[in-house]
Amino acid sequence: MSLNSVTFQNSGYFSKLIIDYLNQEKSIASLYNRFPTIENFKKQIEEKELNFPTINRQILHRVLTEQYSKIKPSNKTLNNINALSDSNTYTITTGHQLNLFTGPLYFLYKIISTINLSEKLNISYPGHHFVPVYWMATEDHDFEEINHFMFEEKVICWNKDSKGPVGRLDTKGLEKVLEVFKSHIGLGNNAQKIIKLFEQAYLNNYNLAEATRFLANELFGDYGLVIIDGDHRELKQLFSPYIEKELIYQRNIIEVEKSFNLLKEYTIQVNPREINLFYITDKLRERIVYQNDIYKVNNTSIEFKQDEILEELKKYPERFSPNVILRPLYQEVILPNLCYIGGGGELAYWFELKQMFNANEITFPILLLRNSVLLINQKQRKKAEQLNLTWQDLFKKADRLIHDKTQELSQIQFNFNKQKEFLNTQFEELKTIAQQTDKSFIGAVLAQEAKQLKGLNNLEKRLKKAEKKNHKEQLGRITLLHTELFPNNNLQERVVNFSEFYKECGDYLIEKLFQKLNPLNHEFDVLVL
């Protein structure tokens, strides 16, 4: 097992759209700005420089300074926040939900990709400064998506009612979650460090936004990560001209739908609405809809005439929240951003937005697929070698892997394709004879052909079943290893929480990830711990 990575294209876990993007297919070139290469950042800097006002930097710096007032940033993070006031400083950004205790592993991979790319750019462009940013999705509302994490196949869940933006949700009840977590994690220095981190983040902070900021800062503050919460009055004031246009003209839906013709052979990730805004308070997050010349807040009695809603926007910009379509635009208006790093699903909806960005005269960022990793311990690696499995084997779906390995282990071929081809040839001749003699025989010939093909298929299945039985022990070991690495036929990074590995490896886990991940390699890394 000499190779320690698999290309994204060959991993089997990415959509056709993402593969076509990685292959830089010309058919979708108009859906993005520049492909992520070190060289392309030069033109991206030049373009962003032309349309990012100095006042935006000043407000951004002031808001970040306020948001960091309750935690202690590292000197590197503090320097990065201060640097954002300078015209030669730019950001590299990733975003993520406020998953309980980081949620699945890819939370780490997103942020490490962002930090590592920033460092690469600082070396490649010494005349500029690049700051890694984590955008907290504090205005989301789908609590069921974020209120749990997996630890050693156990779901650790926070049961609580939630109606408004999740970032404003208080942390009451998380002491019970910690008690459940403690009962599973066991003993050891690393286990105690994890428990302490959970306590400090969730029991000592008032709401989920503050808790997540603390947690991300503890994990990545020493690397200079800057964490931003877009749910802020001054930041919304910066974005209010775009909110006003959305309310009055409702043109963004038209611009987004222009991309659909190019995306028709792919899956449309999200559909725009006439108004892509929510109205939010601490306990409310509902869509704004326009009906009969009245702006209504869905599922409430709140409504406005046009002059009234514009006055509401002027007085309370913090009550207006962009949805999945407008959130990327909001991000790029308030950040001097060059690149957004996300997963395949995220990039898929960004590809819908290029025309909307053009219409709003905002630079469209470079889009980069985040790093992906399969973590494997020494024992699992040894098992894979003993079973003669390659990394490419392990990335196959379980059924395909067992089929291929059964065939490989078998002394005979249980693939009857040659026999089926021979049978087809014979019956084609019989059909020709029937056509020339008595066409009424065609039905009988077809029925006999179907019967014999069915018989061959049944023999093939029985032989395959028998061979699986003959190699039951080895195939069982292969299945067990595959299940450990790909739980429920899913990627490990989408299921398992970092604490499961941190318990065994401690800080070594994050150190190795920083060493391993190269955000511009476009490969699925395998990291043996």
Side-chain angles (χ1 to χ4, degrees), residues 223-253:
Y223 298 92
L225 181 69
V226 173
I227 304 154
I228 188 168
D229 181 357
D231 187 8
H232 193 281
R233 176 182 173 83
E234 284 194 78
L235 298 179
K236 293 288 180 68
Q237 281 179 323
L238 273 182
F239 193 59
S240 59
Y242 302 89
I243 295 175
E244 182 174 325
K245 284 199 297 183
E246 178 74 353
L247 290 168
I248 297 174
Y249 303 112
Q250 301 166 29
R251 292 285 304 175
N252 287 316
I253 183 174

Side-chain angles (χ1 to χ4, degrees), residues 239 242 326-333 356-357 360 362:
F239 193 59
Y242 302 89
L326 282 189
R327 189 209 59 77
L329 187 70
Y330 177 38
Q331 172 189 293
E332 299 301 311
V333 165
M356 183 188 76
F357 270 74
N360 285 279
I362 297 297

Side-chain angles (χ1 to χ4, degrees), residues 419-436:
Q419 289 81 356
K420 292 174 186 176
E421 289 174 9
F422 177 77
L423 196 65
N424 285 332
T425 302
Q426 296 301 307
F427 274 97
E428 286 301 317
E429 292 180 6
L430 286 173
K431 290 173 193 174
T432 302
I433 293 171
Q435 287 281 358
Q436 294 172 349

Side-chain angles (χ1 to χ4, degrees), residues 62-76:
R62 185 164 63 245
V63 170
L64 284 170
T65 300
E66 177 194 319
Q67 291 186 349
Y68 269 83
S69 62
K70 294 182 181 180
I71 63 173
K72 185 178 180 181
S74 68
N75 288 335
K76 192 167 185 178

